[in-house]
Amino acid sequence: MLALVSLLSVLTAPSTNVEAFQFIQLPRQQPRVSSPSVLFAAQRDPFITGNWKLNPQTKQEAIDLATGIADSIDPSAPGDVGIFVPFPFIEAVQNVIGDKAIVGAQCVLPELKGAFTGGVSPAMLQSMGVKWALAGHSERREIFKESDEFINAQCRLLVENDMNVILCIGESLEEFEKNLVKDICEVQLKKNLAGISVEDMMNDKVTIAYEPIWAIGTGKVATPAIAQRVHAAIRQILANMFNDEVAQKTRILYGGSVTPESINGLMDQPDVDGALVGGASLDASKFGKIINFQPAAVPV
């Protein structure tokens, strides 16, 4: 209760800033305790992904970056690795990465063909061996004005065409400060996953990425305790939407200025299953350290 009062006092203070969240005394998470959350977490493979956005600037730079990332992946690294690259670089990056990582697309048009200048369809991606795409990233929502209905159409068409989607959700700083995080995530999940079945979810067709908008590209990152609370809330929303089994099986990634210094603390949380990394994925050395994070010991 005291921790909640401290949090509310920070959020309602006139000088509220994200840095202040780092000093809130929250109940300490105990990920190594043998609890249902930890045991279910042990059954979900970690998933570390990178979103290159509008980077790099040339094909050769993309090849060089992909080569550095491929070389940095330790064969014993836990879980799966994926990188989401600009359309023109997909094939070149695939040739370099091979089977060391998934190579995915950053977006897709929710149409299969037709008069849609500049559009890229799921079928086009599949013909290049691409099986994964992002949907709902805040930059697509804000800059390109992609609506919840548009994002839902993306998710449904990808799943219908036997592809996988990472659905990005998250709140603004103002919404965070007003304690609307769960409400925003619930609205986005319900609208964006409308028409997606329990079977689709159980077949790992959908991964969720929680990306607080205030932490994307700002250098600010939610504390592990904040990320854990939100991820646990998202898992409960999924349980209400689908069922408990879906909620426990679905991987939920954290995104927002993830660094080599923050990854271990985040991945120690029982409901954080991976990361969607932005800026650090453009540095092979930094991204390699994130990929090769040191997982906490999980009781058996």
Side-chain angles (χ1 to χ4, degrees), residues 41-61:
Q43 299 171 13
R44 297 187 297 267
D45 290 333
F47 194 10
I48 303 297
T49 62
N51 176 16
W52 286 4
K53 305 186 180 184
L54 191 61
N55 300 290
Q57 299 307 300
T58 69
K59 178 181 176 181
Q60 188 57 53
E61 289 174 344

PDB file of all heavy atoms in Angstrom, residues 41-61:
ATOM      1  N   ALA A  41       6.607 -19.424 -17.169  1.00  0.00           N
ATOM      2  CA  ALA A  41       7.631 -18.690 -17.904  1.00  0.00           C
ATOM      3  C   ALA A  41       8.703 -19.630 -18.430  1.00  0.00           C
ATOM      4  O   ALA A  41       9.244 -19.439 -19.526  1.00  0.00           O
ATOM      5  CB  ALA A  41       8.255 -17.624 -17.006  1.00  0.00           C
ATOM      6  N   ALA A  42       9.014 -20.659 -17.656  1.00  0.00           N
ATOM      7  CA  ALA A  42      10.039 -21.615 -18.065  1.00  0.00           C
ATOM      8  C   ALA A  42       9.621 -22.393 -19.305  1.00  0.00           C
ATOM      9  O   ALA A  42      10.459 -22.935 -20.024  1.00  0.00           O
ATOM     10  CB  ALA A  42      10.337 -22.582 -16.919  1.00  0.00           C
ATOM     11  N   GLN A  43       8.313 -22.412 -19.585  1.00  0.00           N
ATOM     12  CA  GLN A  43       7.804 -23.143 -20.744  1.00  0.00           C
ATOM     13  C   GLN A  43       7.748 -22.271 -22.002  1.00  0.00           C
ATOM     14  O   GLN A  43       7.485 -22.775 -23.096  1.00  0.00           O
ATOM     15  CB  GLN A  43       6.407 -23.692 -20.432  1.00  0.00           C
ATOM     16  CG  GLN A  43       6.380 -24.660 -19.259  1.00  0.00           C
ATOM     17  CD  GLN A  43       4.972 -25.030 -18.837  1.00  0.00           C
ATOM     18  OE1 GLN A  43       4.007 -24.777 -19.542  1.00  0.00           O
ATOM     19  NE2 GLN A  43       4.840 -25.625 -17.664  1.00  0.00           N
ATOM     20  N   ARG A  44       7.966 -20.955 -21.857  1.00  0.00           N
ATOM     21  CA  ARG A  44       7.946 -20.045 -22.995  1.00  0.00           C
ATOM     22  C   ARG A  44       9.378 -19.719 -23.407  1.00  0.00           C
ATOM     23  O   ARG A  44      10.162 -19.252 -22.585  1.00  0.00           O
ATOM     24  CB  ARG A  44       7.193 -18.749 -22.647  1.00  0.00           C
ATOM     25  CG  ARG A  44       5.720 -18.943 -22.321  1.00  0.00           C
ATOM     26  CD  ARG A  44       5.007 -17.608 -22.156  1.00  0.00           C
ATOM     27  NE  ARG A  44       5.523 -16.837 -21.036  1.00  0.00           N
ATOM     28  CZ  ARG A  44       5.028 -16.874 -19.800  1.00  0.00           C
ATOM     29  NH1 ARG A  44       3.994 -17.646 -19.524  1.00  0.00           N
ATOM     30  NH2 ARG A  44       5.555 -16.138 -18.836  1.00  0.00           N
ATOM     31  N   ASP A  45       9.719 -19.982 -24.654  1.00  0.00           N
ATOM     32  CA  ASP A  45      11.066 -19.695 -25.127  1.00  0.00           C
ATOM     33  C   ASP A  45      11.282 -18.188 -25.217  1.00  0.00           C
ATOM     34  O   ASP A  45      10.442 -17.474 -25.787  1.00  0.00           O
ATOM     35  CB  ASP A  45      11.299 -20.318 -26.505  1.00  0.00           C
ATOM     36  CG  ASP A  45      11.375 -21.830 -26.454  1.00  0.00           C
ATOM     37  OD1 ASP A  45      11.759 -22.370 -25.399  1.00  0.00           O
ATOM     38  OD2 ASP A  45      11.035 -22.469 -27.473  1.00  0.00           O
ATOM     39  N   PRO A  46      12.372 -17.668 -24.696  1.00  0.00           N
ATOM     40  CA  PRO A  46      12.664 -16.240 -24.846  1.00  0.00           C
ATOM     41  C   PRO A  46      12.722 -15.860 -26.329  1.00  0.00           C
ATOM     42  O   PRO A  46      13.091 -16.672 -27.174  1.00  0.00           O
ATOM     43  CB  PRO A  46      14.036 -16.093 -24.181  1.00  0.00           C
ATOM     44  CG  PRO A  46      14.134 -17.250 -23.244  1.00  0.00           C
ATOM     45  CD  PRO A  46      13.405 -18.376 -23.911  1.00  0.00           C
ATOM     46  N   PHE A  47      12.384 -14.612 -26.609  1.00  0.00           N
ATOM     47  CA  PHE A  47      12.353 -14.132 -27.994  1.00  0.00           C
ATOM     48  C   PHE A  47      12.950 -12.720 -28.003  1.00  0.00           C
ATOM     49  O   PHE A  47      12.322 -11.769 -27.545  1.00  0.00           O
ATOM     50  CB  PHE A  47      10.917 -14.119 -28.492  1.00  0.00           C
ATOM     51  CG  PHE A  47      10.752 -13.972 -29.984  1.00  0.00           C
ATOM     52  CD1 PHE A  47      11.826 -14.068 -30.856  1.00  0.00           C
ATOM     53  CD2 PHE A  47       9.495 -13.748 -30.531  1.00  0.00           C
ATOM     54  CE1 PHE A  47      11.670 -13.946 -32.228  1.00  0.00           C
ATOM     55  CE2 PHE A  47       9.311 -13.632 -31.902  1.00  0.00           C
ATOM     56  CZ  PHE A  47      10.399 -13.729 -32.755  1.00  0.00           C
ATOM     57  N   ILE A  48      14.167 -12.597 -28.488  1.00  0.00           N
ATOM     58  CA  ILE A  48      14.839 -11.301 -28.590  1.00  0.00           C
ATOM     59  C   ILE A  48      14.777 -10.838 -30.044  1.00  0.00           C
ATOM     60  O   ILE A  48      15.257 -11.524 -30.950  1.00  0.00           O
ATOM     61  CB  ILE A  48      16.308 -11.393 -28.142  1.00  0.00           C
ATOM     62  CG1 ILE A  48      16.406 -11.921 -26.706  1.00  0.00           C
ATOM     63  CG2 ILE A  48      16.978 -10.024 -28.270  1.00  0.00           C
ATOM     64  CD1 ILE A  48      15.761 -11.023 -25.667  1.00  0.00           C
ATOM     65  N   THR A  49      14.179  -9.675 -30.266  1.00  0.00           N
ATOM     66  CA  THR A  49      13.986  -9.182 -31.632  1.00  0.00           C
ATOM     67  C   THR A  49      14.521  -7.760 -31.772  1.00  0.00           C
ATOM     68  O   THR A  49      14.573  -7.002 -30.797  1.00  0.00           O
ATOM     69  CB  THR A  49      12.487  -9.190 -32.010  1.00  0.00           C
ATOM     70  OG1 THR A  49      11.773  -8.300 -31.140  1.00  0.00           O
ATOM     71  CG2 THR A  49      11.908 -10.591 -31.868  1.00  0.00           C
ATOM     72  N   GLY A  50      14.898  -7.408 -32.987  1.00  0.00           N
ATOM     73  CA  GLY A  50      15.381  -6.061 -33.278  1.00  0.00           C
ATOM     74  C   GLY A  50      14.557  -5.427 -34.384  1.00  0.00           C
ATOM     75  O   GLY A  50      14.219  -6.090 -35.372  1.00  0.00           O
ATOM     76  N   ASN A  51      14.221  -4.169 -34.219  1.00  0.00           N
ATOM     77  CA  ASN A  51      13.484  -3.416 -35.228  1.00  0.00           C
ATOM     78  C   ASN A  51      14.400  -2.324 -35.767  1.00  0.00           C
ATOM     79  O   ASN A  51      14.695  -1.355 -35.068  1.00  0.00           O
ATOM     80  CB  ASN A  51      12.224  -2.812 -34.607  1.00  0.00           C
ATOM     81  CG  ASN A  51      11.455  -1.940 -35.584  1.00  0.00           C
ATOM     82  OD1 ASN A  51      11.669  -1.988 -36.789  1.00  0.00           O
ATOM     83  ND2 ASN A  51      10.541  -1.136 -35.059  1.00  0.00           N
ATOM     84  N   TRP A  52      14.854  -2.499 -37.015  1.00  0.00           N
ATOM     85  CA  TRP A  52      15.803  -1.547 -37.593  1.00  0.00           C
ATOM     86  C   TRP A  52      15.162  -0.236 -38.021  1.00  0.00           C
ATOM     87  O   TRP A  52      15.866   0.736 -38.298  1.00  0.00           O
ATOM     88  CB  TRP A  52      16.495  -2.185 -38.798  1.00  0.00           C
ATOM     89  CG  TRP A  52      17.511  -3.226 -38.449  1.00  0.00           C
ATOM     90  CD1 TRP A  52      17.820  -3.711 -37.202  1.00  0.00           C
ATOM     91  CD2 TRP A  52      18.374  -3.914 -39.369  1.00  0.00           C
ATOM     92  NE1 TRP A  52      18.810  -4.653 -37.289  1.00  0.00           N
ATOM     93  CE2 TRP A  52      19.171  -4.805 -38.613  1.00  0.00           C
ATOM     94  CE3 TRP A  52      18.556  -3.873 -40.754  1.00  0.00           C
ATOM     95  CZ2 TRP A  52      20.125  -5.640 -39.188  1.00  0.00           C
ATOM     96  CZ3 TRP A  52      19.495  -4.702 -41.338  1.00  0.00           C
ATOM     97  CH2 TRP A  52      20.277  -5.576 -40.567  1.00  0.00           C
ATOM     98  N   LYS A  53      13.854  -0.205 -38.132  1.00  0.00           N
ATOM     99  CA  LYS A  53      13.134   0.993 -38.575  1.00  0.00           C
ATOM    100  C   LYS A  53      13.701   1.472 -39.931  1.00  0.00           C
ATOM    101  O   LYS A  53      13.963   0.657 -40.793  1.00  0.00           O
ATOM    102  CB  LYS A  53      13.173   2.066 -37.494  1.00  0.00           C
ATOM    103  CG  LYS A  53      12.644   1.550 -36.150  1.00  0.00           C
ATOM    104  CD  LYS A  53      12.536   2.621 -35.099  1.00  0.00           C
ATOM    105  CE  LYS A  53      12.016   2.024 -33.797  1.00  0.00           C
ATOM    106  NZ  LYS A  53      11.807   3.054 -32.753  1.00  0.00           N
ATOM    107  N   LEU A  54      13.901   2.780 -40.119  1.00  0.00           N
ATOM    108  CA  LEU A  54      14.405   3.300 -41.400  1.00  0.00           C
ATOM    109  C   LEU A  54      15.931   3.353 -41.359  1.00  0.00           C
ATOM    110  O   LEU A  54      16.556   4.396 -41.528  1.00  0.00           O
ATOM    111  CB  LEU A  54      13.819   4.686 -41.683  1.00  0.00           C
ATOM    112  CG  LEU A  54      14.041   5.252 -43.101  1.00  0.00           C
ATOM    113  CD1 LEU A  54      13.410   4.361 -44.157  1.00  0.00           C
ATOM    114  CD2 LEU A  54      13.474   6.663 -43.205  1.00  0.00           C
ATOM    115  N   ASN A  55      16.521   2.202 -41.138  1.00  0.00           N
ATOM    116  CA  ASN A  55      17.973   2.061 -41.017  1.00  0.00           C
ATOM    117  C   ASN A  55      18.378   0.678 -41.525  1.00  0.00           C
ATOM    118  O   ASN A  55      17.578  -0.254 -41.464  1.00  0.00           O
ATOM    119  CB  ASN A  55      18.401   2.185 -39.549  1.00  0.00           C
ATOM    120  CG  ASN A  55      18.034   3.533 -38.938  1.00  0.00           C
ATOM    121  OD1 ASN A  55      18.593   4.553 -39.262  1.00  0.00           O
ATOM    122  ND2 ASN A  55      17.052   3.499 -38.045  1.00  0.00           N
ATOM    123  N   PRO A  56      19.655   0.535 -41.975  1.00  0.00           N
ATOM    124  CA  PRO A  56      20.626   1.586 -42.290  1.00  0.00           C
ATOM    125  C   PRO A  56      20.293   2.211 -43.646  1.00  0.00           C
ATOM    126  O   PRO A  56      19.185   2.019 -44.166  1.00  0.00           O
ATOM    127  CB  PRO A  56      21.945   0.825 -42.311  1.00  0.00           C
ATOM    128  CG  PRO A  56      21.563  -0.558 -42.718  1.00  0.00           C
ATOM    129  CD  PRO A  56      20.190  -0.811 -42.152  1.00  0.00           C
ATOM    130  N   GLN A  57      21.262   2.919 -44.245  1.00  0.00           N
ATOM    131  CA  GLN A  57      20.947   3.681 -45.450  1.00  0.00           C
ATOM    132  C   GLN A  57      21.268   2.960 -46.751  1.00  0.00           C
ATOM    133  O   GLN A  57      20.747   3.334 -47.806  1.00  0.00           O
ATOM    134  CB  GLN A  57      21.685   5.024 -45.413  1.00  0.00           C
ATOM    135  CG  GLN A  57      21.283   5.885 -44.224  1.00  0.00           C
ATOM    136  CD  GLN A  57      19.776   6.082 -44.135  1.00  0.00           C
ATOM    137  OE1 GLN A  57      19.172   6.618 -45.062  1.00  0.00           O
ATOM    138  NE2 GLN A  57      19.164   5.640 -43.044  1.00  0.00           N
ATOM    139  N   THR A  58      22.099   1.947 -46.705  1.00  0.00           N
ATOM    140  CA  THR A  58      22.468   1.245 -47.939  1.00  0.00           C
ATOM    141  C   THR A  58      22.401  -0.262 -47.735  1.00  0.00           C
ATOM    142  O   THR A  58      22.460  -0.761 -46.597  1.00  0.00           O
ATOM    143  CB  THR A  58      23.897   1.606 -48.394  1.00  0.00           C
ATOM    144  OG1 THR A  58      24.845   1.045 -47.464  1.00  0.00           O
ATOM    145  CG2 THR A  58      24.085   3.117 -48.487  1.00  0.00           C
ATOM    146  N   LYS A  59      22.328  -0.977 -48.855  1.00  0.00           N
ATOM    147  CA  LYS A  59      22.310  -2.442 -48.810  1.00  0.00           C
ATOM    148  C   LYS A  59      23.587  -2.983 -48.183  1.00  0.00           C
ATOM    149  O   LYS A  59      23.536  -3.921 -47.366  1.00  0.00           O
ATOM    150  CB  LYS A  59      22.140  -2.990 -50.228  1.00  0.00           C
ATOM    151  CG  LYS A  59      22.162  -4.506 -50.327  1.00  0.00           C
ATOM    152  CD  LYS A  59      22.001  -4.957 -51.770  1.00  0.00           C
ATOM    153  CE  LYS A  59      22.112  -6.463 -51.915  1.00  0.00           C
ATOM    154  NZ  LYS A  59      21.969  -6.895 -53.337  1.00  0.00           N
ATOM    155  N   GLN A  60      24.735  -2.407 -48.519  1.00  0.00           N
ATOM    156  CA  GLN A  60      25.994  -2.899 -47.976  1.00  0.00           C
ATOM    157  C   GLN A  60      26.049  -2.690 -46.466  1.00  0.00           C
ATOM    158  O   GLN A  60      26.544  -3.555 -45.728  1.00  0.00           O
ATOM    159  CB  GLN A  60      27.179  -2.208 -48.643  1.00  0.00           C
ATOM    160  CG  GLN A  60      28.536  -2.812 -48.250  1.00  0.00           C
ATOM    161  CD  GLN A  60      28.611  -4.297 -48.566  1.00  0.00           C
ATOM    162  OE1 GLN A  60      28.346  -4.726 -49.687  1.00  0.00           O
ATOM    163  NE2 GLN A  60      28.962  -5.112 -47.564  1.00  0.00           N
ATOM    164  N   GLU A  61      25.539  -1.566 -45.992  1.00  0.00           N
ATOM    165  CA  GLU A  61      25.498  -1.339 -44.546  1.00  0.00           C
ATOM    166  C   GLU A  61      24.606  -2.368 -43.866  1.00  0.00           C
ATOM    167  O   GLU A  61      24.914  -2.834 -42.757  1.00  0.00           O
ATOM    168  CB  GLU A  61      25.000   0.076 -44.252  1.00  0.00           C
ATOM    169  CG  GLU A  61      26.001   1.170 -44.613  1.00  0.00           C
ATOM    170  CD  GLU A  61      25.428   2.563 -44.443  1.00  0.00           C
ATOM    171  OE1 GLU A  61      24.199   2.710 -44.336  1.00  0.00           O
ATOM    172  OE2 GLU A  61      26.231   3.516 -44.402  1.00  0.00           O
TER     173      GLU A  61
END
